[in-house]
Amino acid sequence: MASMTLATLGAAVWGGALLWRALDPATGPGLLGTLLASSAFTVPGLILAVLTIRARTVWILLASIPICANGMMIVLPWIVLRLRG
């Protein structure tokens, strides 16, 4: 639960940064600043998700959701850069 909460906070940072850039592009945060602020939440969330994996297959399935959610927030800048081309 803590891992998904951190993933949600990381996504909220991205959402807030995108909204800020849409409303006022001159003062909105850059890609690196957004990545650093989001990483403050998503890296600990990813670590927590990986640490929840146990010896059974069901734990891998349960942990895969927060691992993917936190991992997506970490690789998002590279996806954005590829799309901006």
Side-chain angles (χ1 to χ4, degrees), residues 70-82:
N70 284 296
M72 181 63 187
M73 294 298 112
I74 293 171
V75 299
L76 192 60
W78 291 277
I79 294 171
V80 169
L81 288 175
R82 291 276 302 209

Side-chain angles (χ1 to χ4, degrees), residues 23-24 41 50-51 55 66 72:
L23 295 175
D24 190 9
F41 298 111
V50 170
L51 291 176
M72 181 63 187

Side-chain angles (χ1 to χ4, degrees), residues 1-8 41 44-50 52 66-67 69-70:
M1 186 166 160
S3 180
M4 283 306 295
T5 302
L6 291 170
T8 303
F41 298 111
L46 183 62
I47 292 169
L48 282 173
V50 170
T52 62
I67 288 171
N70 284 296

Side-chain angles (χ1 to χ4, degrees), residues 28-76:
L31 192 61
L32 181 62
T34 305
L35 170 66
L36 293 174
S38 175
S39 293
F41 298 111
T42 57
V43 170
L46 183 62
I47 292 169
L48 282 173
V50 170
L51 291 176
T52 62
I53 297 176
R54 303 289 186 257
R56 295 182 179 222
T57 306
V58 71
W59 283 102
I60 295 171
L61 294 173
L62 290 173
S64 67
I65 296 168
I67 288 171
C68 290
N70 284 296
M72 181 63 187
M73 294 298 112
I74 293 171
V75 299
L76 192 60

